[in-house]
């Protein structure tokens, strides 16, 4: 067993006795007790003197009602909120998170990285794509005979060069819907292309605005090209051939949207590389221009045999407008992008 340090104990007891003998009439403070000790008192001696003067006792909080509570607040509600400490705990402990260890801080944990935006998780774009796919499937199933007749008339041209197929109003509406569907496919593709090659931050409030701008531009392009064809063909070739040409153009444009639908779905939901999507779009565009050139030759220049005229006609009404429109798309993407 360890022997008790009699020197230290006697010294501490002597200091405590001295402190008791000179205890003033008012309540002592720790500073008063330490001032009574000699200047060379050790920390152990100071602690012994403090313990001899100040005895720990149980704190009894007042059970009287707190008159400083808010109007309309009952005493039991305040006690339940503050734990019985009353107004002091409500003003200090509840507002100062560093006052007591039991009080929790304002922030729990570390904020994580936000989930990046993806088109596949966008409800509006997904709804448009799924609705377009379902409507295309239903329209194709209900218009199989019309599509077969259009395809046969497109490939096998009659000897007189005129088509005898007449479309009903429902069939015309079906083709116009497919043209709008084509504009939607082009606008979504242009949105992906702009995000990959231009930038991901734009001055617009939402990505819907960018897709809507591209949709309006593609719709305006097809309408402008149709009006340009109508103005030129009516003057040089007559109304009958112009109507035959417009029907062919409507069929080609609507078929273009059906061909673009699979690759757009693969890009949205399976992250198909944008380079493969661009190659597919270029192949479809070249195929469409070849079919347009073929139909233009058989409708307008089949009997004339003037190859230079068809080249000039095709370049003026197909190549130059699409080149100018591509430039407008690039400028629009660069102007709307935020360059840091």
């Amino acid at each position: 067993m360890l022997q008790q340090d009699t020197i230290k104990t006697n010294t501490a007891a002597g200091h405590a006795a001295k402190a008791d003998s000179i205890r003033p009439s008012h309540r002592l403070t720790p500073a008063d007790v330490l001032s009574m000790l000699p200047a060379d008192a050790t920390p152990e001696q100071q602690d012994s003197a403090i313990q001899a003067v100040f005895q720990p006792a149980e704190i009894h909080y007042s059970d009287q009602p707190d008159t400083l509570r808010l109007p309309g607040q009952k005493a039991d509600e305040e006690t339940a909120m503050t734990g019985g400490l009353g107004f002091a705990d409500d003003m200090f402990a509840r507002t100062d998170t560093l006052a007591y260890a039991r009080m929790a801080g304002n922030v729990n944990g570390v904020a994580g990285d936000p989930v990046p935006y993806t088109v596949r998780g966008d409800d509006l774009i997904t709804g448009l794509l799924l609705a377009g796919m379902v409507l295309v499937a239903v329209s194709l199933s209900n218009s199989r005979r019309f599509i077969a007749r259009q395809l046969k008339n497109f490939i096998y041209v009659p000897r007189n060069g005129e088509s005898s197929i007449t479309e009903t109003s429902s069939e015309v509406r079906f083709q116009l819907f497919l043209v709008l569907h084509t504009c939607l496919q082009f606008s979504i593709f242009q949105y992906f292309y702009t995000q990959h090659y231009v930038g991901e931050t734009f001055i617009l409030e939402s990505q819907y605005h960018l897709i809507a701008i591209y949709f309006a531009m593609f719709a305006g392009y097809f309408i402008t090209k149709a009006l340009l064809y109508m103005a030129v063909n009516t003057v040089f070739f007559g109304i009958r051939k112009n109507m035959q040409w417009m029907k062919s153009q409507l069929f080609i444009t609507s078929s273009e949207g059906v061909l673009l639908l699979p690759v757009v779905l693969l890009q949205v939901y399976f992250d198909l590389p944008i380079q493969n999507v661009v190659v597919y779009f270029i192949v479809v565009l070249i195929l469409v221009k070849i079919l347009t050139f073929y139909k233009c030759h058989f409708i307008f220049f089949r009997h004339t045999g003037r190859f230079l005229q068809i080249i000039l006609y095709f370049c003026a009404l197909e190549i130059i407008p699409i080149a100018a429109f591509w430039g407008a798309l690039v400028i629009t993407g660069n102007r709307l992008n935020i360059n840091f």
Side-chain angles (χ1 to χ4, degrees), residues 78 81-82 85-95:
E78 181 186 3
M81 287 190 304
T82 61
L85 297 182
F87 183 75
D89 182 76
D90 185 60
M91 288 300 296
F92 296 99
R94 292 180 58 194
T95 57

Side-chain angles (χ1 to χ4, degrees), residues 10-20 36-38 41 45 49 52:
N10 295 334
T11 304
H15 290 302
K18 182 179 179 181
D20 291 335
M36 300 176 187
L37 299 177
Q45 295 172 349

